[in-house]
Amino acid sequence: MDRRNRSDKYLISEQPGMKIFLTGLILAFLIGYTTSSLLSPQRIKAQLEKAASHIHKDIKVSFDSAELSLANGILPRFAVLIKQVRMESDQACWMSPVLEIDEMRLPLSLWGLITKESPVKKINADNVVLTLRGTVEACEKEKQKASENYHRPKEETPLVKLSPVEQAQKYRNDISELNIHSFKILSAQYPQYPFELSSFKAQVKSFEPRVVEVHAKTNFLKDDTVGDYLSHANLFLEYKEMPEQSLQAHFFGNWREGHYSVITHYTLNDHMLNVETDVKHIPLSQVLQVLQKYDLVAKNLNGKQVWVSAKARMRGEAEKLKSAPFEVKDLRLEGDLGEMSVDSASFTSVDPLRYKPFLIDIQNMRIDKLLAFINRPQKAKIFGNLGTFTGQAEFVSEKDMRMVGEHQGLQFVFSNKSRRENQVVDRIAGEISLKGDTWNIAVNRAEPKGGSFVGSIKVKADRDFKDVQLSSNIDEVTLDPAIQSLMTNGGEIGVLGLDAEARLSAGKVSYLKGSAQLNTLDVEGMTFGKSKAKFDLRQGEIVMQAQVQSLVVEEETPGHQILQNVTPTTWWVDKVLNLKDLHGDFYWKNNQNLKWQGFEAKAGKDSKITTSGSWNEFGELSGTVQTKDGKSTRKYQIDGTRDVPTFNENSGKATR
């Protein structure tokens, strides 16, 4: 060996740092080359495609790209990134699902790579969309087809087949955890009802036997006008294969000041579903929205400012829930509507709705809010406040119900010359019942404020109150003094008795017949003695035959200003006019047109006054008045208006 070679060998041996550096450089090159070849995107994609083929024989998997990630920002990360994943199946009883994932991350375990165990134990995903393309009907057809094939002659058994254990091992993987940031579930059959989950986490607690748990958050009873922050909910699922295949779910959360909990248990072998719910002080409007989505209640109900609390249980086949029985306990509605409570109610079917008889306890139910709840606000001008009802309702069926109790605070509106007063009825005791399509209402007792009532009123109507029959048998009724003063311009209305029958069709009177008695009436300085009348309906007009025992008209009253124009001065004794035995007929049409005919009264033995006339919807008067005083007779023409009448004596001298 020459001196030069000995020198180079000496330099290398004398510099161990250089030796380590060269060795590391060579190893780095070899590792980098090996890593780039073994962990290249092409090789990773090929390995994943091979693994995907073993997920399940009925599931197709595809994805756009896959690569190895060694960092997440400045943090280290050893994971496989897969983008644009699509998994789908045509299994009808799986609802033909399609699962789409924008990005999946498979964290790799270095220990698993060294020990040749599965390096992937966990899957993380960002945005996942599950679309269920199938229908329950398609699953039923698939079951029918499978049942028909079951009875066909069996094909020849293959020479080699996998045992159940081998089959399970072939398609088994060691994934034990799945995390999804945003999980959206869509149904092609019901696209208007999407279901969104966040912070979704699924864990395999046991592979043999299989036990899987799922935790997630979502929004329930969501109100877009309020925001999501008031409607967070929690979801817990547990799947078990022993002692039987079953799925347990617990859905619970808060809504505003309320709380709800839904617990379900589903057994896969017999498809039986048990559901238990507990809601406390939940806005009824939100509950109705959920029930209306699935056509469980009428669409026209309006539950604003009403809260509900209840417990319910249901058990039945999952595919026949609408016909499954369920039980409701401790049901309570409260709010602007009042309070209604049901201790227990048993429903044998939801669609069609069938239930066993049950009782509802009602406290201070506001009738106007009840009508608003069923979207039928009252429009009758004769009513003010509709008052409240307290009592008990018995429901036998949707066409058989009965309510007994007490109504308070009902107001009738009276108006005269642009002035209005309300007659308040403090209490009304009676009964309401529905038989078939017919309502029956009976009022047995009433206490009008400032007045009196002795008698009864009965109402019979169709379901929508378009055809209404009324009958009254009233011995005595008096009104509040304020109402009497309004209707008589400071006068008084005595005790009224009324026996009548009426019928209204589409809001119009189609039949009327009855009689009325009044002991006294004082109107604008005119005092009527005992009066009675018979009335009925003839060709669209209300005809009333009236008889008045006496009429006293004082001077300097509206009555005096009118009658002095057509009566002799000798009839006024001490500035008072006394008439006896008044009688005649009135014709009333369209609430505005009034006609009187053949009306006369006696002023003495040989003195009387007779009149006929009318006013139209504009208040314009037209008629005649004739007075007879002994052998003298005078006639007058009536013109002008109700407020300012005029009397013009006919030409010619008075006859004698």
Side-chain angles (χ1 to χ4, degrees):
M1 181 179 296
D2 57 21
R3 183 176 181 181
R4 180 181 177 182
N5 290 335
R6 289 197 307 268
S7 176
D8 292 341
K9 182 177 179 181
Y10 171 79
L11 289 173
I12 294 175
S13 62
E14 293 298 324
Q15 298 183 25
M18 180 62 71
K19 182 177 181 180
I20 294 173
F21 173 75
L22 293 174
T23 303
L25 185 61
I26 294 171
L27 289 175
F29 172 77
L30 292 175
I31 292 173
Y33 179 79
T34 303
T35 302
S36 63
S37 61
L38 293 179
L39 300 180
S40 65
Q42 294 78 9
R43 182 175 289 274
I44 292 174
K45 184 174 182 181
Q47 292 293 329
L48 288 174
E49 288 174 344
K50 181 179 179 181
S53 65
H54 292 284
I55 292 177
H56 194 281
K57 62 185 180 64
D58 294 325
I59 299 177
K60 299 177 183 178
V61 181
S62 63
F63 53 91
D64 284 356
S65 64
E67 60 184 22
L68 182 66
S69 174
L70 300 177
N72 182 16
I74 63 173
L75 299 176
R77 176 178 64 179
F78 193 42
V80 175
L81 268 63
I82 313 171
K83 296 186 178 181
Q84 302 303 318
V85 181
R86 180 182 176 90
M87 305 173 69
E88 59 183 309
S89 173
D90 293 328
Q91 279 280 4
C93 289
W94 293 357
M95 303 297 285
S96 302
V98 174
L99 187 70
E100 297 173 293
I101 308 171
D102 62 347
E103 181 178 285
M104 288 176 58
R105 294 176 297 279
L106 309 180
L108 298 178
S109 169
L110 294 176
W111 180 254
L113 292 173
I114 295 172
T115 60
K116 296 184 179 180
E117 293 180 0
S118 174
V120 180
K121 302 288 186 180
K122 183 189 298 186
I123 298 177
N124 298 326
D126 286 335
N127 300 308
V128 178
V129 178
L130 173 63
T131 303
L132 303 176
R133 300 172 296 175
T135 63
V136 175
E137 293 77 11
C139 179
E140 289 297 325
K141 292 180 181 179
E142 188 70 20
K143 288 181 180 179
Q144 182 65 27
K145 184 179 178 180
S147 177
E148 293 173 356
N149 292 334
Y150 177 79
H151 296 288
R152 292 178 182 176
K154 295 183 178 179
E155 298 179 357
E156 185 178 351
T157 304
L159 296 176
V160 179
K161 65 177 183 179
L162 295 173
S163 68
V165 175
E166 292 172 325
Q167 185 79 6
Q169 290 293 334
K170 178 181 179 180
Y171 292 105
R172 173 175 170 175
N173 61 70
D174 294 322
I175 303 297
S176 60
E177 185 175 321
L178 171 63
N179 297 293
I180 301 175
H181 176 69
S182 175
F183 190 7
K184 191 172 185 179
I185 302 174
L186 304 174
S187 171
Q189 189 174 10
Y190 303 104
Q192 67 273 35
Y193 309 139
F195 187 59
E196 297 183 40
L197 299 167
S198 62
S199 302
F200 181 92
K201 182 177 183 179
Q203 288 181 296
V204 179
K205 294 296 185 179
S206 171
F207 285 99
E208 297 294 341
R210 178 83 54 153
V211 178
V212 181
E213 288 185 0
V214 174
H215 298 263
K217 293 183 178 181
T218 185
N219 298 106
F220 190 54
L221 300 175
K222 181 179 178 181
D223 189 344
D224 294 333
T225 62
V226 177
D228 296 346
Y229 61 93
L230 288 177
S231 60
H232 286 310
N234 298 284
L235 174 65
F236 170 76
L237 300 174
E238 183 183 58
Y239 169 77
K240 291 183 178 180
E241 291 183 337
M242 294 293 289
E244 60 181 347
Q245 282 187 305
S246 64
L247 181 64
Q248 180 91 11
H250 188 193
F251 194 80
F252 60 97
N254 294 300
W255 172 253
R256 295 179 182 171
E257 63 274 18
H259 172 80
Y260 57 87
S261 172
V262 181
I263 300 175
T264 65
H265 185 266
Y266 176 64
T267 52
L268 279 67
N269 294 334
D270 56 8
H271 304 288
M272 293 300 294
L273 179 65
N274 284 280
V275 182
E276 294 186 12
T277 62
D278 186 358
V279 297
K280 293 181 180 179
H281 211 62
I282 295 295
L284 180 60
S285 58
Q286 305 302 315
V287 177
L288 290 176
Q289 287 181 17
V290 175
L291 297 177
Q292 288 166 350
K293 281 184 178 180
Y294 301 99
D295 298 324
L296 297 179
V297 298
K299 299 287 187 182
N300 59 350
L301 297 180
N302 179 4
K304 292 182 178 180
Q305 299 301 313
V306 180
W307 288 263
V308 59
S309 300
K311 296 178 181 178
R313 297 182 62 182
M314 173 184 284
R315 174 179 170 80
E317 293 185 44
E319 298 173 357
K320 301 178 181 178
L321 281 185
K322 287 190 176 183
S323 60
F326 69 98
E327 184 178 14
V328 178
K329 288 187 175 182
D330 301 329
L331 172 64
R332 178 180 294 274
L333 296 178
E334 54 190 335
D336 288 355
L337 186 65
E339 293 186 14
M340 291 186 288
S341 60
V342 178
D343 291 337
S344 178
S346 296
F347 294 79
T348 56
S349 169
V350 176
D351 187 15
L353 184 64
R354 294 194 181 100
Y355 45 83
K356 296 179 181 179
F358 64 92
L359 297 176
I360 300 179
D361 186 62
I362 303 171
Q363 296 291 327
N364 299 318
M365 181 177 67
R366 294 176 58 181
I367 304 303
D368 56 344
K369 297 297 182 180
L370 176 63
L371 294 176
F373 174 72
I374 60 177
N375 271 325
R376 292 185 179 180
Q378 72 91 10
K379 300 179 181 179
K381 296 180 180 180
I382 64 170
F383 293 113
N385 191 333
L386 296 181
T388 62
F389 177 83
T390 297
Q392 195 173 66
E394 179 184 12
F395 285 81
V396 178
S397 70
E398 62 177 355
K399 291 190 175 183
D400 189 353
M401 60 160 287
R402 177 173 174 263
M403 278 199 305
V404 179
E406 190 175 86
H407 195 135
Q408 297 181 342
L410 179 64
Q411 294 181 353
F412 292 91
V413 177
F414 290 83
S415 62
N416 186 22
K417 296 181 179 179
S418 301
R419 292 177 55 213
R420 292 164 57 94
E421 289 283 352
N422 293 332
Q423 173 64 66
V424 179
V425 183
D426 290 332
R427 290 179 177 83
I428 301 174
E431 178 180 321
I432 301 174
S433 65
L434 175 65
K435 293 287 186 180
D437 290 325
T438 303
W439 289 98
N440 284 282
I441 303 174
V443 176
N444 302 318
R445 180 172 59 87
E447 299 178 10
K449 185 176 182 179
S452 63
F453 177 91
V454 178
S456 64
I457 298 175
K458 295 181 179 180
V459 179
K460 186 176 182 179
D462 65 351
R463 195 176 188 89
D464 296 322
F465 280 82
K466 293 181 179 179
D467 190 357
V468 181
Q469 299 179 46
L470 300 96
S471 63
S472 64
N473 185 7
I474 301 173
D475 296 326
E476 175 184 317
V477 60
T478 59
L479 301 177
D480 188 292
I483 301 297
Q484 297 184 41
S485 178
L486 171 71
M487 301 306 295
T488 59
N489 285 337
E492 180 183 359
I493 303 174
V495 178
L496 174 67
L498 180 66
D499 291 295
E501 293 183 359
R503 182 170 182 174
L504 287 79
S505 299
K508 296 182 178 181
V509 179
S510 59
Y511 176 82
L512 179 65
K513 193 174 185 65
S515 62
Q517 305 84 36
L518 185 65
N519 68 337
T520 185
L521 176 64
D522 184 358
V523 182
E524 295 184 342
M526 297 188 297
T527 303
F528 294 83
K530 290 183 179 180
S531 306
K532 61 181 180 179
K534 293 182 178 181
F535 48 85
D536 60 4
L537 187 67
R538 302 176 190 173
Q539 297 180 346
E541 285 186 325
I542 297 175
V543 180
M544 183 172 66
Q545 298 173 323
Q547 293 182 336
V548 183
Q549 189 179 63
S550 62
L551 171 62
V552 178
V553 182
E554 298 180 0
E555 195 176 36
E556 297 182 357
T557 63
H560 170 261
Q561 295 175 5
I562 294 174
L563 291 175
Q564 72 174 347
N565 295 308
V566 294
T567 55
T569 56
T570 56
W571 288 11
W572 295 84
V573 179
D574 295 331
K575 300 181 180 180
V576 175
L577 172 66
N578 283 279
L579 298 176
K580 304 289 185 180
D581 191 19
L582 287 77
H583 59 275
D585 297 336
F586 290 95
Y587 298 82
W588 187 20
K589 187 175 182 180
N590 298 332
N591 298 329
Q592 294 178 330
N593 298 65
L594 179 69
K595 179 172 67 174
W596 64 95
Q597 187 173 350
F599 210 96
E600 67 176 51
K602 294 180 181 179
K605 184 177 181 180
D606 295 321
S607 303
K608 68 177 182 179
I609 181 172
T610 61
T611 179
S612 295
S614 66
W615 67 61
N616 59 21
E617 63 271 22
F618 305 107
E620 297 171 340
L621 289 170
S622 175
T624 60
V625 178
Q626 179 176 294
T627 59
K628 182 180 179 183
D629 185 21
K631 296 182 180 180
S632 175
T633 301
R634 306 182 74 137
K635 295 181 179 180
Y636 300 87
Q637 182 69 33
I638 304 174
D639 294 302
T641 65
R642 286 176 300 180
D643 296 329
V644 185
T646 61
F647 300 90
N648 298 309
E649 187 173 1
N650 290 349
S651 59
K653 296 182 180 180
T655 60
R656 292 184 179 274

